[in-house]
Amino acid sequence: MKRQEMLVAAIENGTVIDHIPADKTFQVVNLLELHNLKTPVTIGMNFLSKKIGQKGIVKVADKFFTDEEISHLSVVAPNIVLNIIRDFDVVEKKEVRTPDELRGIVKCNNPKCITNNEPMETLFHVVDKEHGTLKCHYCEKEQDINKVELV
Amino acid sequence: MESHSLVTIADLSREKINYMLEMAQEFEKHPNREILKGKVVATLFFEPSTRTRLSFETAANRLGARVIGFTDPKVTSSSKGETLKDTTMMVSNYADVIVMRHYLEGAARYASEVAPVPIVNAGDGANQHPSQTMLDLYSIYKTQGTLENLNIYLVGDLKYGRTVHSLIMAMRHFSPTFHFIAPKELAMPDEYKVYCKKNHIKYIEHTDFNEKEIIDADIIYMTRVQKERFSDLMEYERVKNVYILRNNMLENVRENMKILHPLPRVNEIAYDVDNNPHAYYFEQARNGLYARQAIICDVLGITLDEIKRDNTLIK
């Protein structure tokens, strides 16, 4: 157990994003725009997880995400947990909450939707949080949150 | 940008629908006026739809407005790659209201968000066509004297027919009982059945269409079963003659029953029905004029009260 923990360096202050489904790891990285950060970021993939088999883990030093930023993650990984680290200790665990609307995050699956044919921001209303049902604000088509692509 | 656009019928409350119907009634009494004198109405048809355009342009003309627009996007800058936003902004400089028909879904919603003038959705792809629904409601109200507690039979293509979907949404305020009569391939999508359940709208599904099935109908709303909708052409051949309304099916229907159809009709209503007093589809189209007069005035902020006190009538 100790050896596994050694695989990823501990951070003093920042955020540890845990329990990412392994194949969604880089989508999480993109959604949080971690490539724009100047602080140390550790990205790990395919770690063993008792809960989900294989998982991804991302450690971001000196960065604390807003609730809005975190809510974006509901599109790719609604069950992940963010550990807020201060002075090497977990001071808070944040879960991803599905927001009421998603603006500019995902694409509409309807090729005849105006959002896929005009340079504009997409907007979805989350009509059923439990089942992850989104409704496009423009073409009004309902779609499954697991079947939409990121912008 | 706050404006009075009409994008979807689902946005309208029960009170607003009744208000609009009352307004249409005023226009039916006096369709020729100059209440819109000095106004310019733009009709932007990014896809052709002759009868909708004629209906809107007649509505505007009979109220004294002037009409500009295009009927074919090939002649406009959108064929040069201009965005919908740019076209909308440009036309907003010229017109007081924009009536828009577009092949893309959500186009009217988006235009209403960027335009400083109100937008009337005259159909956006397979999505919404609220002026059609408004004229359907007006036709039902006019022939039945009420919108409350009616038995409405929707027949034909219930899968792709946006008019029937919008009608269900608009009728949710008036406790109707719907009967969905369609071949399996064109059955009412689950999405709308869920909508019915959520909104406590009663519905019964049938696949048979005959004299007995329609005996309790107040309204029979026919739609066209289109060949191109079928993946299995054998199935089309089997059902194509099942969903045809014929004169001999109408002997025992309710006296107040009226037959509606959004038109164009192909063969789903036999021609011998046309002279039957239950046939109402041509009058229904005329009601579109009054419904659209009401819509144009409403989005321009003209109230029912002003229309009742209007002294610009042309007699």
Side-chain angles (χ1 to χ4, degrees), chain A residues 116-140:
Chain A
N116 288 317
N117 294 274
E118 180 89 2
M120 60 185 283
E121 204 175 56
T122 62
L123 174 60
F124 287 85
H125 303 288
V126 182
V127 290
D128 185 339
K129 289 191 183 181
E130 199 181 324
H131 297 100
T133 310
L134 307 178
K135 186 175 186 176
C136 175
H137 174 71
Y138 293 96
C139 76
E140 302 179 30

Side-chain angles (χ1 to χ4, degrees), chain B residues 156-210:
Chain B
D157 178 358
L158 305 186
K159 187 171 179 187
Y160 299 100
R162 71 180 166 193
T163 56
V164 295
H165 302 154
S166 300
L167 190 59
I168 291 172
M169 291 182 177
M171 287 299 295
R172 74 186 186 279
H173 306 296
F174 304 100
S175 42
T177 302
F178 279 106
H179 292 254
F180 302 152
I181 303 180
K184 278 208 182 77
E185 288 221 15
L186 299 178
M188 186 60 74
D190 285 340
E191 187 183 339
Y192 293 98
K193 291 194 253 175
V194 170
Y195 183 89
C196 283
K197 281 177 193 152
K198 259 190 206 163
N199 289 282
H200 310 291
I201 299 170
K202 281 171 274 176
Y203 68 86
I204 299 152
E205 293 186 275
H206 315 244
T207 48
D208 289 340
F209 184 49
N210 55 45

Side-chain angles (χ1 to χ4, degrees), chain A residues 5-90:
Chain A
E5 280 171 11
M6 292 295 284
L7 288 170
V8 183
I11 53 176
E12 187 175 351
N13 290 298
T15 307
V16 176
I17 308 167
D18 204 355
H19 301 298
I20 307 170
D23 58 333
K24 303 281 172 91
T25 309
F26 283 91
Q27 291 188 20
V28 169
V29 171
N30 285 335
L31 265 176
L32 295 174
E33 297 182 11
L34 300 184
H35 49 276
N36 290 330
L37 291 180
K38 297 284 177 256
T39 57
V41 176
T42 316
I43 300 170
M45 229 171 95
N46 300 337
F47 290 122
L48 283 177
S49 160
K50 280 180 197 151
K51 275 191 197 163
I52 54 171
Q54 284 195 315
K55 69 175 182 180
I57 187 163
V58 177
K59 296 194 171 196
V60 190
D62 301 319
K63 171 77 186 168
F64 304 95
F65 298 98
T66 64
D67 285 349
E68 202 204 330
E69 284 173 312
I70 293 169
S71 72
H72 293 173
L73 298 174
S74 62
V75 183
V76 295
N79 297 320
I80 60 183
V81 178
L82 288 86
N83 298 299
I84 314 300
I85 312 288
R86 287 192 199 276
D87 203 14
F88 295 106
D89 275 333
V90 177

Side-chain angles (χ1 to χ4, degrees), chain A residues 140, chain B residues 5-13 16 109 172:
Chain A
E140 302 179 30
Chain B
S5 297
L6 178 63
V7 174
T8 163
I9 205 80
D11 291 347
L12 300 191
S13 67
K16 182 72 183 189
R109 171 76 66 196
R172 74 186 186 279

Side-chain angles (χ1 to χ4, degrees), chain A residues 110 112 114 118 137-138 140, chain B residues 84-85 105-106 113 128:
Chain A
N110 175 9
K112 285 190 72 194
I114 186 72
E118 180 89 2
H137 174 71
Y138 293 96
E140 302 179 30
Chain B
L84 175 62
K85 180 180 175 182
E105 289 141 31
E113 289 173 353
Q128 298 287 338

